[in-house]
Amino acid sequence: MPSAWLSLLIRLLAAVLAGLTSGFILGAVAGVAAAAGLLLLMLLAHTAQLARLQRWLKAPDERDIPDARGVWGSVFVELHRLLRRERKVRARIEAELEVFSQAAEASPDGLVFLDIDDHIVWCNRVAEQHLGLRGERDSGLLVTNLIRLPRFAEFLANAREGESLSYRPAERKGRVFSIEAIRFGKDRKLLISSDVSHIERAETMRRDFVANVSHELRTPLTVISGFIEHMADDPAPDPAEWKQQMAMVDEQAGRMLNLVDDLLTLSRLEDETQMPREEEFDVRDLIYDVSAEGRRLSAGRHSITCEVVPAFLKGSREELRSAFANLVSNAVRYTPAGGRIVLHWAMRDGKGVFSVEDSGIGIPEEHLPRLTERFYRVDRGRSRESGGTGLGLSIVKHILLRHQAALDIGSVAATGSTFSAVFPAWRVKLPMA
Ligand code: ADP
């Protein structure tokens, strides 16, 4: 038995003993009165401590736990211990909760915790951005009143695994979020939102691309099948007409071949596992090569000159030759006869810049940002007429990206254009002076 209880027992016994002794000496009445007086004093003392305990329980504060001796002392010490233990447990739970909420905040997905009646308990910042919620303001509100989607309430009620709902906020055009509802615990739910705008964009691009390729192939195929039909109807045509038709078929077949070649080149360039070769080559040689190619294509219709300083470039010579040749071919195709084309290589702020300047038809400003998109053409007819596939600048952009270079386009309609490939300094080496 703890000593406090022993001393209480001894005190009770002492009171009884004092009563008995007084009774023995002073008579029975005096004895009972003495015992009762002593017990009353003890009762008063305990009542006072009980009152202190009750007062404290109304506003428990560890700092002013009552202080006493004896049984009450040990009760208050136990209370102290209990409170300390509880404080430690609370601190541990708070720390763990903090880690959980930090993890939930770090999630790239939006998270919304709902109670059993679909009221918002908590949501992270990503969910606020995705679903237009405000954690503090909306906590306790019914989520179906805040996320206004036609089938949302039904979706939430069923909350089936693997099922998701697309959310396209009217005020944020082009943004699409996917929402999933997951049950956990005792009929609680967790909403997970993710930004799927890029997937939708990629899907739209894929669809446009397939439609564009089909459209591009359709025109030459129609010409060729028309020719075959014509031949079937008239197997022995006039030789002059035959020659003319054959030239047309040849041209259309060539167009299809160019398109397929460009598509294959693009898909090869898009393969990120295939890095470009890293070889060092003389830029001047390369530019002289592509200018000769440009002259062949121009067949004397333009003046084509080079203004180059000696330098070496690091990268895939074959890929860069194809990019430079594409820019030169465009300059030739979009510059009327008699025009001037200059191929430059210069150093600008430590960077190496290859540019093709022409005095051609130029490009109205509003088209400039979209020129490198696949199949984007300012003038579809003119591009086709000159054998263009609409993929040239996409190929150029990809090749330059693979070499950490940028494509700058400057153009004034009816005056001319300058297409520049800007290479980072570490790809350029200048010859020793
Ligand atoms: P295309 O095969 O049609 O030439 P590109 O991708 O090479 O395709 O070019 C896209 C479009 O950019 C062209 O259709 C043309 O309208 C415009 N363009 C490209 N280079 C020039 C240039 N040097 N001068 C004027 N327009 C150009």
Side-chain angles (χ1 to χ4, degrees), residues 123-160:
C123 69
N124 67 358
R125 227 159 297 154
V126 181
E128 292 186 335
Q129 288 160 9
H130 286 180
L131 308 173
L133 301 173
R134 274 272 159 278
E136 275 174 30
R137 184 195 63 194
D138 299 337
S139 155
L141 300 184
L142 201 59
V143 73
T144 42
N145 285 346
L146 298 169
I147 301 175
R148 294 247 169 229
L149 260 175
R151 282 181 40 240
F152 186 53
E154 182 196 327
F155 165 78
L156 202 58
N158 296 330
R160 272 194 280 266

Side-chain angles (χ1 to χ4, degrees), residues 330 333-334 358 363 371 376-378 383 388-390 392-393 419:
N330 278 355
R333 290 189 298 119
Y334 298 107
D358 65 50
I363 304 157
L371 280 191
Y376 190 86
R377 289 134 152 161
V378 176
S383 157
T389 61
L393 289 180
F419 285 73

